[in-house]
Amino acid sequence: MSAQLKGKAIIFSAPSGAGKTTIVRHLLGIPDLRLSFSVSATSRSMRENEQDARDYFFLSPDEFRTRVRLGDFLEWEEVYHNQLYGTLRSEIDRIWSEGRNVIFDVDVVGGISLKNHFGTTALSVFVQPPSIEVLEHRLQNRSTESPDKIAMRIAKARHELTFAPRFDMVLINDNLEQALQDAEESVRKFLHT
Ligand code: ADP
Ligand code: 5GP
């Protein structure tokens, strides 16, 4: 890839339910930021409102492991038991070759790996919920996971919150309007410097 074709990278990480998807969708809707979403691969099942190749490339666990062996992932994680998620190298090539900046929504371990890989080309943002209790209510209201899956995500969130200081910035998502405004301002500043 030639140097002129290299864009920038924005990484959003947080415990599940903190609001990454909501914030990333908002940023994708701002044309002059020239952001395109890096569609990850996952072996989890598709939710009702999701579409293959738009939200994720939905793969079977076997297909996912084949792609791991082929070296197709820049990073991948078993984020939850038997649920694999990974960043495809081909997504970054595609987005940068279109002259756009890439935006990622990945778990905290993936976010730290991507930041290590991209260095100063990337801004890494940790989205922090006001509390674990609020996080749990958000997951319950989202109604996309069963109660046992929500419990699994909350248990993991306690550990994930300790990773916040390893990110370039922490974005508190309490009042959504404020969080969207702060996210836009920080991303705009990073892209224009
Ligand atoms: P993530 O992608 O981090 O798992 P989502 O963006 O799906 O999180 O948000 C989880 C749920 O919380 C969604 O139902 C979303 O509409 C809601 N939500 C996001 N931010 C806020 C907020 N600041 N206040 C209240 N609800 C929120
Ligand atoms: P969900 O199942 O709610 O869509 O995502 C669960 C978690 O997996 C979220 O924290 C999400 O950011 C993360 N995730 C999504 N794609 C990737 C990826 O490519 N790599 C890693 N490491 N995590 C991912």
Side-chain angles (χ1 to χ4, degrees):
M1 169 158 315
S2 74
Q4 309 91 286
L5 290 179
K6 203 171 147 189
K8 289 190 175 178
I10 308 291
I11 304 161
F12 272 84
S13 296
S16 179
K20 289 178 305 284
T21 309
T22 308
I23 296 168
V24 167
R25 285 204 180 137
H26 169 77
L27 294 171
L28 284 165
I30 303 171
D32 69 301
L33 298 180
R34 300 183 59 76
L35 293 169
S36 293
F37 184 59
S38 167
V39 180
S40 291
T42 184
S43 68
R44 82 148 160 74
S45 44
M46 202 188 306
R47 294 176 186 152
E48 218 169 75
N49 57 345
E50 287 180 327
Q51 251 178 47
D52 189 38
R54 183 195 67 181
D55 299 288
Y56 285 104
F57 293 103
F58 292 94
L59 306 178
S60 68
D62 280 352
E63 286 168 335
F64 195 103
R65 295 207 180 272
T66 301
R67 303 287 299 262
V68 171
R69 280 195 296 276
L70 290 170
D72 289 355
F73 294 113
L74 187 53
E75 63 76 39
W76 67 276
E77 294 290 327
E78 183 171 359
V79 177
Y80 303 106
H81 183 58
N82 282 337
Q83 294 186 12
L84 310 173
Y85 295 81
T87 302
L88 290 159
R89 294 178 191 280
S90 53
E91 284 292 284
I92 298 142
D93 293 344
R94 170 181 72 79
I95 292 165
W96 280 355
S97 71
E98 289 166 357
R100 299 179 65 83
N101 303 302
V102 59
I103 186 164
F104 301 98
D105 172 343
V106 294
D107 86 314
V108 294
V109 177
I112 292 166
S113 304
L114 290 176
K115 174 65 187 178
N116 285 341
H117 176 82
F118 290 113
T120 54
T121 301
L123 173 71
S124 64
V125 185
F126 185 94
V127 181
Q128 182 151 341
S131 67
I132 289 275
E133 290 70 30
V134 169
L135 192 67
E136 193 165 4
H137 283 134
R138 285 187 189 164
L139 285 175
Q140 283 161 353
N141 289 338
R142 192 172 73 183
S143 310
T144 49
E145 267 78 28
S146 57
D148 61 318
K149 289 249 166 74
I150 291 180
M152 188 166 84
R153 285 175 181 234
I154 290 298
K156 187 165 178 170
R158 292 180 202 281
H159 176 59
E160 289 171 322
L161 287 172
T162 65
F163 286 78
R166 295 171 65 178
F167 284 73
D168 291 332
M169 62 172 283
V170 175
L171 179 75
I172 310 278
N173 181 17
D174 185 357
N175 175 290
L176 183 59
E177 281 313 306
Q178 186 64 50
L180 296 179
Q181 208 177 310
D182 293 349
E184 178 177 345
E185 193 180 308
S186 300
V187 167
R188 192 176 288 287
K189 194 166 151 214
F190 174 75
L191 292 177
H192 294 146
T193 50

